[in-house]
Amino acid sequence: MSINRGRGLQANALGTFDTVVMAVAGSAPAYSLAATTAVLVGAVGLASPAALLYCAIPMLGIALAFSYLGRIDVNAGASYSWVGRTLHPFLGFISGWALVISTTIFMVAGSLPAGSMTLSLFDEQLAENTALSTAVGAGWFLVMLFVVLGGARLTVRAQFLMSGIELAILALFAVLAVFHTDNARAFDWSWLGLGHFDGMAGFASGALIAAFYYWGWDVTSNLSEETRNSRRTTGLAGLIGVGIVFLLFEAFTIAVNVILSAKQIEENDANVLAVLGEEIWPGWGGKLLVVAVMLSTIATLETTLIQVTRSLFAMGRDRTMPSALGRVHPRWNTPWVAITVVGTVAMVMLVASNALGTVGDILSDAISAIGLQIAVYYGLAGLAAVVAYRRMLLKSVANFVLGGLWPLFGALFMFWVLVESLGELSTAAITIGLGGLAVGLIPMFWYWMRGSEYYRPARLDAARTIETDYVPDDGALALSRTHDDLPTDF
């Protein structure tokens, strides 16, 4: 078993509440709603709440997979390590690379709205200026880069402030939306059914976009080496995070269906929430929700930086990428080389994105491309959990459902969405999504031929690990060490 805690990263820096905050911030509820709702409505129309509902069920299966795998292998690389030690090292590297590429693309998809939201607080016309939005977004990105460089404790303190304000504003408007009377249409329960989808392909394209909404809660697994009682905490925090953001996503997507017309959504594709806020609370509402989106965007830039830099740190440590990426800062205990490299690459991409079109155009293709990559590494992690726990699945019904059937369903759903949606996406989205994955074959084969030990892994087997190696961290209360049941928090 690979327990890499204490190899440079700051151990025991985060607690349970800290990791729950990071999970919610990673999914960026306000940003996801603002940047993605128009894309989702464009794909599935009034079925948007249904797409989020039916994607939440398999997503919980993936969250369970991450929870169970994190209990037997504490590694900042998360799925990169787990998939490599259960399915195949090549698949493990591709899993890690998918996260690296998707998070790097998000640096552009996230920084642009951060800039445009900031500008819109002062002048709506300025927010439409892609070059100026890029400059302001780059400023916020650099601020978050230095926060992440400063260590896990500084990172989570910044999250408390940003996410606390964001969630308070969202909760206020969720309540106000219930009492709003000037509606574009009446609520219809059919919005939560399957009748509004344009066939299976339409359902798949909606589910792919919905996966982007939820993406990010798994930052808790990348922080496992820096978390107290991480075998229990990181997985539980991920599950709680998925539950919280699901409720927010459903509430606001239904509110958009009820309150806004199709024309309003189409004309404000880069920030539907601002228009929704103005409708609910004329004068102040739009500005307050813009503040929530701005804070959410900046906060998720931070969690995304953590995911990519911790993944690269694990790769550098395993010599599957340049070993310098595995170096940590002597004072802050953060992977400073990985942070510097990611920051430089993201800034170059951010500047280059100006040639691609408007903020809305860039977001649409980037979200779809990231969705493809999310489906790859989430799906592989779901399969890895089933393989790792295969000898324990028939010990009880709970073992079979929570450790096997549900993660397997989540994995198969992700792969089905990946294949089914390819015929619906733009050429640009497919090129960015799959082309980005293909680039990973170069370092994979290069370091495999150079003899990296990662490609000769110790197999990950939950039954053997729990039987011989597992000792609960810090007196963990709820992790069972028996031969008959999976270690579980439930």
Side-chain angles (χ1 to χ4, degrees), residues 13 21 85 155 213 219 239 249:
V21 170
R85 296 182 61 195
T155 298
Y213 272 82
V219 65
L239 288 164
F249 291 154

Side-chain angles (χ1 to χ4, degrees), residues 251-451:
F252 276 88
T253 308
I254 291 172
V256 166
N257 273 6
V258 169
I259 296 171
L260 299 184
S261 66
K263 183 179 180 182
Q264 285 176 301
I265 296 171
E266 183 180 352
E267 290 178 349
N268 298 275
D269 57 351
N271 188 11
V272 171
L273 273 195
V275 182
L276 180 67
E278 190 64 30
E279 288 286 335
I280 294 174
W281 185 358
W284 280 97
K287 293 294 185 185
L288 283 174
L289 279 181
V290 166
V291 170
V293 175
M294 182 185 73
L295 291 173
S296 178
T297 309
I298 297 167
T300 199
L301 280 176
E302 183 185 79
T303 58
T304 307
L305 275 166
I306 288 172
Q307 284 196 281
V308 65
T309 55
R310 269 45 175 192
S311 297
L312 288 173
F313 164 78
M315 290 175 162
R317 183 174 58 191
D318 290 343
R319 305 296 195 272
T320 58
M321 290 286 279
S323 60
L325 295 172
R327 295 177 187 168
V328 298
H329 193 279
R331 178 179 177 185
W332 298 317
N333 297 100
T334 51
W336 69 272
V337 176
I339 291 171
T340 303
V341 170
V342 167
T344 302
V345 171
M347 289 296 289
V348 171
M349 289 179 60
L350 186 56
V351 173
S353 69
N354 276 277
L356 299 179
T358 66
V359 174
D361 294 336
I362 295 168
L363 284 177
S364 180
D365 286 335
I367 288 167
S368 297
I370 291 171
L372 292 174
Q373 293 155 357
I374 294 168
V376 169
Y377 87 85
Y378 275 177
L380 288 172
L383 290 181
V386 177
V387 173
Y389 282 90
R390 64 191 181 280
R391 293 167 55 192
M392 304 181 68
L393 295 181
L394 298 181
K395 299 291 185 180
S396 71
V397 174
N399 290 2
F400 181 74
V401 174
L402 298 179
L405 187 61
W406 207 340
L408 179 62
F409 169 66
L412 295 178
F413 181 85
M414 291 296 165
F415 291 137
W416 174 79
V417 166
L418 171 68
V419 173
E420 192 71 22
S421 63
L422 288 177
E424 300 293 310
L425 297 179
S426 69
T427 302
I430 295 174
T431 301
I432 295 170
L434 299 185
L437 291 176
V439 171
L441 298 177
I442 299 172
M444 184 182 78
F445 285 115
W446 174 259
Y447 285 97
W448 170 62
M449 290 187 294
R450 297 189 66 177

Side-chain angles (χ1 to χ4, degrees), residues 47-246:
S48 299
L52 289 165
L53 171 62
Y54 296 121
C55 190
I57 298 170
M59 188 61 71
L60 280 172
I62 301 302
L64 282 168
F66 271 71
S67 177
Y68 283 122
L69 289 165
R71 293 167 188 176
I72 56 175
D73 183 17
V74 177
N75 192 295
S79 62
Y80 156 79
S81 174
W82 304 329
V83 173
R85 296 182 61 195
T86 53
L87 304 181
H88 193 279
F90 285 178
L91 291 176
F93 183 88
I94 290 299
S95 180
W97 185 258
L99 187 147
V100 168
I101 292 296
S102 59
T103 48
T104 303
I105 293 172
F106 181 79
M107 301 305 170
V108 176
S111 296
L112 281 169
S116 62
M117 291 300 103
T118 304
L119 291 169
S120 69
L121 291 174
F122 303 97
D123 188 332
E124 290 289 344
Q125 296 300 318
L126 290 177
E128 298 298 321
N129 187 318
T130 304
L132 194 56
S133 295
T134 300
V136 177
W140 280 121
F141 175 75
L142 289 174
V143 170
M144 289 301 100
L145 196 73
F146 286 114
V147 170
V148 170
L149 183 62
R153 287 196 176 97
L154 176 61
T155 298
V156 83
R157 286 170 186 160
Q159 283 296 347
F160 285 157
L161 177 63
M162 294 184 290
S163 297
I165 297 173
E166 172 200 356
L167 293 177
I169 294 174
L170 289 179
L172 171 63
F173 277 85
V175 173
L176 292 177
V178 174
F179 298 101
H180 184 74
T181 56
D182 186 15
N183 298 333
R185 59 183 70 84
F187 171 75
D188 192 331
W189 283 104
S190 69
W191 297 344
L192 297 171
L194 297 171
H196 288 285
F197 291 106
D198 184 16
M200 295 303 287
F203 176 79
S205 62
L208 187 73
I209 297 166
F212 177 81
Y213 272 82
Y214 292 106
W215 176 54
W217 54 265
D218 51 306
V219 65
T220 60
S221 296
N222 298 107
L223 285 167
S224 60
E225 296 183 35
E226 298 156 90
T227 303
R228 292 190 297 276
N229 189 18
S230 64
R231 295 181 187 280
R232 174 183 183 275
T233 301
T234 56
L236 182 61
L239 288 164
I240 294 172
V242 171
I244 291 172
V245 297
F246 165 72

